[in-house]
Amino acid sequence: MNLLITNARPYGEGELVDVVVRDGVVTEIGAGLAGARDESVEVLDADGAVLLPGFVDLHTHLREPGGEESETIASGSAAAALGGFTAVFAMPNTDPVADSEVVVEHVRRRGAEVGLVDVHPVGAVTVGLAGEQMAELGTMARSRAEVRMFSDDGKCVNDPVIMRRALEYASALNVVIAQHAEDHRLTVGAQAHEGVVASRLGLAGWPATAEETIVARDCALAREAKAALHVCHVSSARTIDVLRAAKAAGVRVSAEVTPHHLLLTDAALTSYDPVNKVNPPLRTAADTRAMREALAEGVIDVVATDHAPHAAQYKDTEWAAARPGMLGLQTALSIVVHTMVEPGLLDWRGVARVLSERPAEIGGLPDHGRPIAVGEPATFALVDPDGVWTVRGGSLASKAANTPFEGMRLPATVTATILRGRITARDGKVAA
Ligand code: DOR
Ligand code: ZN
């Protein structure tokens, strides 16, 4: 199957070009290649859109198996493709937990059947996410699912003995441990960022130090084990100082920030709308500012969505009972453009770096986040930088509708997504 993309602007730079794709690989890039058109060629007119490598999400909750009322691998894959993603890492806090070869292989196979995005299962670090006994990381790493990332996300690997051993295994297996950094001893009953807003609303506080101390501890453990540590959803400015020092010391540590922690603050909580409940919690304006600067600087490596769909019965309830989490896949690019590109903190090369190249490197995906060049896989997102849209949770592809951006008018639209030469989404619709 062959594809001709016309009038595209790679990385938003230079003249419009045409891109010829054969068997999923770019064979020619240049102006005026439309002559390459023949009967067998599918033509995609980019109409001046920015051509980027397809996005890679290191942190997605697809909820299958066990949480199909909130999301399935099919609905989550559709949301991913519509958001410009070509690969996602599916977190293991499912039911059953993805702590065995059987479950990770199921997730991989179902993702491949759906075929809209490469679904890479994340394996659990501990059996049942219980934090007590290490799961069989080696078995999952060597399975057909080729698990490259392990995490107990939703929970922290709180026990330093287990975290230390997991990092030693990770070093030997050449995989990465992704830590949800939250010292649970410091967050018992926590409902919101510990600060003036939580005090005023009478909500128990989640102190930023619960994140900072675990990241500091884990950087020390990763350094000793010479292991790759990835810090999930950084939310506190103080954590950035820890990361900067660890990186300067040569620790193999990477970090992500979510779109919501780039934009939203605990000021949103005054409505008591549980759509704003998330873990780690929304923090202060000083924290969001620090997140943006750290992302521009590279101390935070990537944007990852923490796409966390929850069906209405888990969200439309009083604050304390509501589950934490927010949709992210279809709004991620627009929030990055709004918070990073519009203020001049990132250009399109930078967007490619934080949404595609670095996540592909961290997750160990050799055929994603590649340069847009001849001989490389045709795995792309096409973005209309002048597009504007209004977020409506009910119109998103996810089964759940819990977006904190409801009603917001956001810049930039994903006009097409292409996975190895196959169009997976186009003009807001997924491929049949
Ligand atoms: O808000 C969150 N939701 N944070 C997590 O760590 C887990 C996630 C979920 O699974 O819903
Ligand atoms: Zn988490």
Side-chain angles (χ1 to χ4, degrees):
M1 187 182 52
N2 297 327
L3 176 67
L4 172 68
I5 306 168
T6 60
N7 305 309
R9 204 182 297 280
Y11 306 103
E13 296 165 358
E15 299 300 305
L16 297 183
V17 297
D18 302 332
V19 179
V20 180
V21 178
R22 286 191 209 286
D23 299 324
V25 175
V26 176
T27 56
E28 270 181 281
I29 301 181
L33 297 179
R37 189 183 306 227
D38 65 49
E39 245 100 280
S40 70
V41 174
E42 185 176 5
V43 180
L44 175 61
D45 185 357
D47 198 22
V50 175
L51 183 65
L52 298 173
F55 307 149
V56 175
D57 190 12
L58 290 177
H59 195 142
T60 308
H61 297 275
L62 294 179
R63 302 292 187 223
E64 189 179 341
E68 290 84 355
E69 68 279 23
S70 295
E71 194 76 293
T72 62
I73 291 171
S75 63
S77 293
L82 290 167
F85 290 89
T86 50
V88 300
F89 285 75
M91 282 297 177
N93 59 340
T94 49
D95 185 12
V97 169
D99 59 2
S100 68
E101 181 172 4
V102 177
V103 181
V104 295
E105 173 54 15
H106 170 78
V107 171
R108 182 205 66 80
R109 187 164 22 84
R110 187 68 197 121
E113 278 167 16
V114 173
L116 291 172
V117 58
D118 289 350
V119 174
H120 295 279
V122 178
V125 175
T126 68
V127 175
L129 305 177
E132 285 163 12
Q133 187 190 338
M134 216 173 78
E136 295 198 8
L137 307 195
T139 305
M140 288 187 270
R142 285 188 287 264
S143 72
R144 272 194 74 189
E146 298 183 70
V147 178
R148 288 289 162 266
M149 182 176 269
F150 292 88
S151 181
D152 273 5
D153 184 64
K155 292 186 179 166
C156 185
V157 181
N158 224 113
D159 183 335
V161 178
I162 292 180
M163 189 59 179
R164 185 184 195 205
R165 190 172 314 136
L167 286 163
E168 283 163 1
Y169 271 73
S171 176
L173 294 166
N174 196 25
V175 299
V176 54
I177 304 288
Q179 176 72 296
H180 168 116
E182 170 185 357
D183 191 329
H184 292 301
R185 295 275 296 132
L186 290 169
T187 61
V188 175
Q191 292 288 338
H193 168 65
E194 185 180 271
V196 289
V197 175
S199 306
R200 196 165 355 110
L201 299 179
L203 297 172
W206 198 126
T209 44
E211 174 178 288
E212 184 189 348
T213 52
I214 290 291
V215 175
R217 179 199 80 175
D218 287 354
C219 285
L221 294 173
R223 181 182 199 166
E224 178 190 47
K226 300 182 170 50
L229 167 70
H230 178 71
V231 180
C232 295
H233 42 54
V234 173
S235 65
S236 155
R238 298 271 196 81
T239 300
I240 292 163
D241 297 334
V242 176
L243 290 168
R244 188 183 287 107
K247 286 185 166 199
V251 179
R252 294 173 64 198
V253 60
S254 56
E256 69 188 35
V257 61
T258 68
H260 46 273
H261 288 109
L262 286 172
L263 182 63
L264 305 175
T265 70
D266 61 354
L269 270 53
T270 51
S271 67
Y272 276 110
D273 185 341
V275 79
N276 296 308
K277 183 171 174 179
V278 68
N279 194 15
L282 301 178
R283 299 201 189 270
T284 67
D287 290 302
T288 58
R289 212 176 311 119
M291 296 303 124
R292 296 180 193 190
E293 285 163 9
L295 183 63
E297 188 189 340
V299 175
I300 291 179
D301 301 76
V302 308
V303 172
T305 67
D306 197 0
H307 178 81
H310 289 297
Q313 68 258 38
Y314 307 124
K315 257 325 209 185
D316 296 350
T317 163
E318 77 270 29
W319 184 274
R323 293 191 182 174
M326 301 172 162
L327 297 185
L329 287 167
Q330 284 178 256
T331 43
L333 184 269
S334 291
I335 300 296
V336 169
V337 170
H338 178 52
T339 57
M340 300 297 296
V341 178
E342 286 182 345
L345 289 165
L346 283 183
D347 57 12
W348 291 107
R349 287 259 171 201
V351 173
R353 173 166 60 80
V354 303
L355 274 173
S356 179
E357 294 161 8
R358 280 295 286 146
E361 270 170 31
I362 293 164
L365 304 185
D367 62 343
H368 287 265
R370 300 293 306 166
I372 298 170
V374 169
E376 296 288 354
T379 295
F380 302 128
L382 269 170
V383 174
D384 177 357
D386 302 319
V388 179
W389 64 295
T390 302
V391 182
R392 295 287 172 217
S395 306
L396 300 173
S398 285
K399 288 188 82 171
N402 55 305
T403 174
F405 309 115
E406 180 71 34
M408 278 184 66
R409 269 171 69 77
L410 294 178
T413 49
V414 174
T415 57
T417 309
I418 299 152
L419 176 59
R420 291 182 286 275
R422 200 161 46 79
I423 298 172
T424 53
R426 185 176 189 171
D427 298 328
K429 292 189 185 60
V430 290

